[in-house]
Amino acid sequence: LVTRGDVPGRTATALDRPPEPLEPAVQAFTGMELFGAYRAGTLFLAAPHRYAEGAVAFYPSEVVLATGRRSMPPLVAGNHLPGVMDAHAALDLAAGYGVPPGQAVAVLGTGAETLVAARLKALGTTVVHTGPIHDLRRVLGRSRVTGIDVGRRLGCDCVVHAGPWRADPSLPFQVAAEGLLQLVGDALPGHVSIVGDAAAGDEPIRLPATLSPHALVCPCMDVTVGELLSHIDAGETDPEILKRLTSCGMGPCQGYPCWENMLAVLAARTGRRPEDYARPRPRPPRRSITVAQAAGLCDVVEPVR
């Protein structure tokens, strides 16, 4: 059990209580994340969040992926400012740490914004605006959030986005992909299934009527809408090539959610659907691991000869 630690003035929450006991046959691995699926989903590798610990290999006979979905950041100017966060981060701050995400919070989404705002209010957060994400035209501020433009200007110091919701496709693609150089996705093998929100389908990404060239598509690599549009207007419409030209999605995020927004920009500029373009191919590891962890797995992930 990883506790939150004592924070002065913080009210105890459900996260402070010990978890319910598991059945004797169940073994829980906490504090780690699956970073790669190999050999058609018969080998999964996980890395602890504590980098001094070794990676773990799993050889499952059956796999159930319940990764949920994540809110895609809005493609508007100012989306990179401190104070812009997704609903999960805002709720974790308020519920897990007893810290309001802001003094005056605006919550925007694709339908879940009312529920998220209600939960934040119940946790002591002051919510000054709740509305659909497609109304958002710009996040105001220079070094931090000072307001939003939703057809009118509203003052706030935090913007919480709750949708559109999309599932991370990295692990399913790694399980099903075939090939050596340009991987091609295939159907999931019979022993792997996807359940919960991750299986509910992805919501479409609706872009503003006027795309701001200053909006960040990939904060890790500083890729803007304007940089993407310059390549698209020059005739380059292959998402894989756009990724290599701009490094979009090649930071710690490993393409999620950056490639989702990149495809939305590409589709909007060419008048096609995002589904008409193949998403760049993710490869393991999907999160950073140490050299020591990688070296310790040498005998596990070497090709079978």
Side-chain angles (χ1 to χ4, degrees):
L1 173 64
V2 180
T3 61
R4 298 293 185 181
D6 293 329
V7 179
R10 183 176 67 84
T11 303
T13 70
L15 293 175
D16 298 305
R17 295 194 294 269
E20 294 292 329
L22 298 173
E23 293 292 331
V26 176
Q27 185 175 1
F29 292 84
T30 61
M32 63 179 61
E33 181 181 352
L34 289 175
F35 67 80
Y38 302 83
R39 301 175 187 170
T42 60
L43 170 63
F44 282 80
L45 301 180
H49 294 152
R50 297 178 181 273
Y51 288 112
E53 299 176 8
V56 179
F58 299 92
Y59 297 88
S61 58
E62 184 176 354
V63 178
V64 178
L65 297 176
T67 55
R69 296 187 296 182
R70 178 177 165 187
S71 175
M72 301 294 101
L75 273 181
V76 297
N79 63 350
H80 66 288
L81 290 171
V84 178
M85 65 186 73
D86 65 17
H88 288 136
L91 289 169
D92 193 34
L93 279 173
Y97 293 91
V99 177
Q103 299 302 313
V105 178
V107 184
L108 303 108
T110 56
E113 64 273 13
T114 302
L115 176 61
V116 172
R119 289 182 176 176
L120 287 173
K121 289 179 182 178
L123 292 165
T125 299
T126 301
V127 177
V128 297
H129 175 75
T130 304
I133 193 72
H134 57 75
D135 284 349
L136 182 64
R137 300 179 181 180
R138 181 184 180 90
V139 179
L140 307 174
R142 293 178 64 90
S143 59
R144 60 180 179 84
V145 173
T146 59
I148 55 174
D149 182 351
V150 287
R152 66 187 191 281
R153 295 199 170 197
L154 298 171
C156 63
D157 63 354
C158 175
V159 179
V160 176
H161 53 91
W165 302 94
R166 300 177 74 90
D168 187 344
S170 299
L171 285 175
F173 182 83
Q174 292 173 19
V175 168
E178 296 285 348
L180 293 177
L181 299 177
Q182 189 86 345
L183 300 181
V184 178
D186 202 349
L188 286 174
H191 72 286
V192 179
S193 60
I194 304 175
V195 300
D197 266 8
D202 293 330
E203 293 184 350
I205 297 175
R206 293 181 57 180
L207 301 181
T210 302
L211 274 173
S212 169
H214 305 295
L216 276 178
V217 178
C218 180
C220 298
M221 308 305 290
D222 291 328
V223 181
T224 64
V225 167
E227 184 178 358
L228 282 175
L229 292 180
S230 68
H231 290 294
I232 296 170
D233 292 344
E236 186 52 71
T237 59
D238 185 334
E240 188 71 27
I241 301 302
L242 288 173
K243 178 197 78 174
R244 298 176 189 181
L245 287 172
T246 64
S247 297
C248 181
M250 298 179 72
C253 68
Q254 289 296 283
Y256 176 77
C258 304
W259 291 342
E260 273 61 38
N261 278 336
M262 181 180 75
L263 293 182
V265 172
L266 175 60
R269 198 63 160 187
T270 58
R272 300 176 65 181
R273 302 178 307 158
E275 296 78 16
D276 294 335
Y277 295 98
R279 191 178 187 273
R281 279 73 170 173
R283 294 173 180 264
R286 60 187 292 271
R287 58 149 289 189
S288 58
I289 60 175
T290 65
V291 173
Q293 288 172 338
L297 294 167
C298 179
D299 295 335
V300 177
V301 297
E302 278 186 336
V304 177
R305 294 184 176 88

